[in-house]
Amino acid sequence: MQRRKLIKAMGLGAIGATSIVSGCQTFPKTLPQASLSEPTQAGHFSNIIVGSGYGGAVSALRLAEQGHPVLILEMGMRWDRSSKHNTFCKMISADERSSWFSNWPNAPIPIPKPIKKYPGVLDLIEYDEIKVFAGRAYGGGSIVNGAIAIQPRRSHFEATFPWLDADEMYDTFFPKAMKALKVSQIPTEFFNQTKYYEFTRAAERQAEKAGLKTEFFGNSYDFDYMQREAKGEVYASALGGEVIYGNNAGKFSLDLTYLKDAEATGKVSVKTLRKVAAIQQLPDDKLRLEVHVLNLQGGIAKVEHYTCDKLFLNAGSTGTSELLLKSQAEGYLPHLNEHIGQHWGPNGNIMTGRNFVAAAGAIQSTIPVKAINMWDPQEGATEPAEFKIFAEIAPLPLGLETWTTLFLAITDNPERGNYYYDKDSKSVKLNWKRSQNEYSVRAAKALLEKLAAANGGRISSLLFNNGIGDNFCYHPLGGCVLGKATDEFGRVKGHKNIYVQDGSLIPGSAGVNPYVFITGLAERNMATILREDFKG
């Protein structure tokens, strides 16, 4: 391996305060531009959805198809695909489109390339001891994820929500979600033959030699399109180094599925670059939202006030928890209960890799399709494994041979943290210690030790600190847990016209990539909400 090239490719080594009178209370706000005038009254809406990720997209479609008007407020930009396939940037040539108001591209492995601040698609939220990746775009996390689509294990689902009807979820709502998300599986013949998945096959051979089982999983990528990419017939997206900063073709992100169908009803309007800063319950049971309209430099162009009858808060685990906690602390949502902000977890996320075992291929697909499964019992095992880990075989598409196998793993880490409002800084923080990832680190090391004992090789110390990426997560979950902070269908307790249908409903762990879990749960909840809360 050419070590210098690898290091270079990876990028390693290197306001005045005012207040606005709003009904019976005031909305304090911070304005970076002194020239800002009083807020614009943006009007009243029957239904406002905050956030256009999986829960928000389901809510929008199911409301709109039954004739209910919807306004979606999205903090990120809208990225409609260009016929020139230049809407999004590639991973190894990241520019300002990659990252949310950052001077450097946001990535799990540092990319030492300065960029100008811009409302790009991937945000990195930094807390004291963990960083959280988040999608910032119309379509939320679906724009920046690897589109790995897996139903939660039934045993894990039943342990998480023992009071839900699992038969209903697995017979109706998860299949409904998978169909709408356009989930499919890579054709076996194509997988076995294409040079773009040699990195996966190399890891599979290592696992087999170590006595570990591997398995395919679904994905919301168009594998018919991918096969045409491999033949050179169409623009190369997954086979051209695109994924965490968006795919210009091939991936079925939410703006091409749920959101597209919702807008087709004619009942949905969308406003982007809108950051909801506060939510206030008014005496007449309506809700008022203070919304900051962002400019392309990250400043506040103006402030808008909206009112609505019903609010569907789907800003993700971080966004939803922060908004509710901040509004509670400032007295605008006084009836929220003690579970707001609680039961948070990083879905047991851990990244690691191995070097010097087998060639992984100089060109790689960016779409994962297979994992080493050490979560479920191994064949012939007489005792449960010490650690549960589902290690997705991830690409490292640098355009050169790295001799590296990379894993994005999900572990059964039982540790939980919580969001809280810090009065001194007047901001929401996350109480999570890096030491709480000990289970995940030990699980990752157990996997690597099994692979090394059978195959040789060593941990990829160049990739992360000592070869283990345990200080960031892709799948933040919890903060407004179903049945605790909400009722059993996502109605926020204490405020009957606020609903939550995003990843904050799941207490810390989905056991797999969570978006099918989130989507299926939202489908189930919205079916009841529409039937019971929208009579007539």
Side-chain angles (χ1 to χ4, degrees), residues 48 256 317 418 421 436 508 532:
I48 291 180
L256 303 177
S317 171
N418 65 281
Y421 184 79
Q436 290 179 266
E532 295 181 354

Side-chain angles (χ1 to χ4, degrees), residues 479-494:
C480 191
V481 169
L482 189 72
K484 293 183 180 294
T486 77
D487 75 355
E488 61 179 312
F489 296 101
R491 303 176 181 99
V492 175
K493 291 181 179 179

Side-chain angles (χ1 to χ4, degrees), residues 130-350:
I130 194 168
K131 301 174 184 178
V132 176
F133 286 97
R136 292 281 182 250
Y138 183 58
S142 74
I143 300 296
V144 299
N145 65 21
I148 297 171
I150 312 173
Q151 289 186 162
R153 293 172 182 81
R154 184 161 180 150
S155 59
H156 188 84
F157 177 84
E158 291 176 343
T160 303
F161 296 120
W163 42 272
L164 290 185
D165 185 342
D167 287 341
E168 181 183 56
M169 293 301 302
Y170 285 85
D171 293 343
T172 302
F173 293 115
F174 286 139
K176 184 176 185 178
M178 299 276 273
K179 182 178 180 180
L181 293 165
K182 298 185 183 298
V183 176
S184 64
Q185 201 169 97
I186 189 169
T188 303
E189 184 178 0
F190 174 64
F191 169 79
N192 287 335
Q193 294 178 356
T194 180
K195 58 188 176 182
Y196 291 95
Y197 279 102
E198 177 58 26
F199 75 96
T200 306
R201 296 192 298 268
E204 184 179 28
R205 290 191 293 268
Q206 295 173 44
E208 183 178 3
K209 194 172 180 181
L212 301 174
K213 64 181 180 182
T214 59
E215 60 185 44
F216 286 107
F217 47 71
N219 198 285
S220 292
Y221 197 88
D222 185 342
F223 288 110
D224 289 336
Y225 185 90
M226 184 183 287
Q227 291 179 80
R228 296 179 63 200
E229 291 180 69
K231 295 176 182 176
E233 296 175 352
V234 293
Y235 173 83
S237 182
L239 305 189
E242 297 177 350
V243 66
I244 65 171
Y245 303 134
N247 284 80
N248 286 299
K251 187 166 77 169
F252 294 119
S253 49
L254 286 169
D255 55 325
L256 303 177
T257 56
Y258 273 98
L259 294 171
K260 181 180 179 180
D261 292 344
E263 289 192 74
T265 66
K267 291 291 184 177
V268 174
S269 56
V270 180
K271 292 187 178 184
T272 57
L273 290 174
R274 260 63 177 190
K275 180 179 181 179
V276 180
I279 305 164
Q280 180 184 6
Q281 184 79 61
L282 298 176
D284 58 1
D285 284 339
K286 290 183 173 59
L287 295 159
R288 175 179 278 124
L289 278 62
E290 180 184 309
V291 178
H292 294 176
V293 182
L294 304 180
N295 59 33
L296 297 184
Q297 292 74 44
I300 302 172
K302 64 178 179 177
V303 176
E304 297 175 332
H305 279 183
Y306 296 76
T307 59
C308 63
D309 297 317
K310 290 180 170 62
L311 176 66
F312 293 82
L313 187 54
N314 295 289
S317 171
T318 298
T320 292
S321 300
E322 287 188 352
L323 259 175
L324 290 175
L325 280 170
K326 183 173 183 291
S327 298
Q328 180 187 46
E330 294 175 349
Y332 304 137
L333 296 178
H335 305 302
L336 298 174
N337 71 18
E338 71 278 11
H339 292 291
I340 297 296
Q342 302 299 307
H343 315 290
W344 184 87
N347 201 28
N349 284 175
I350 198 90

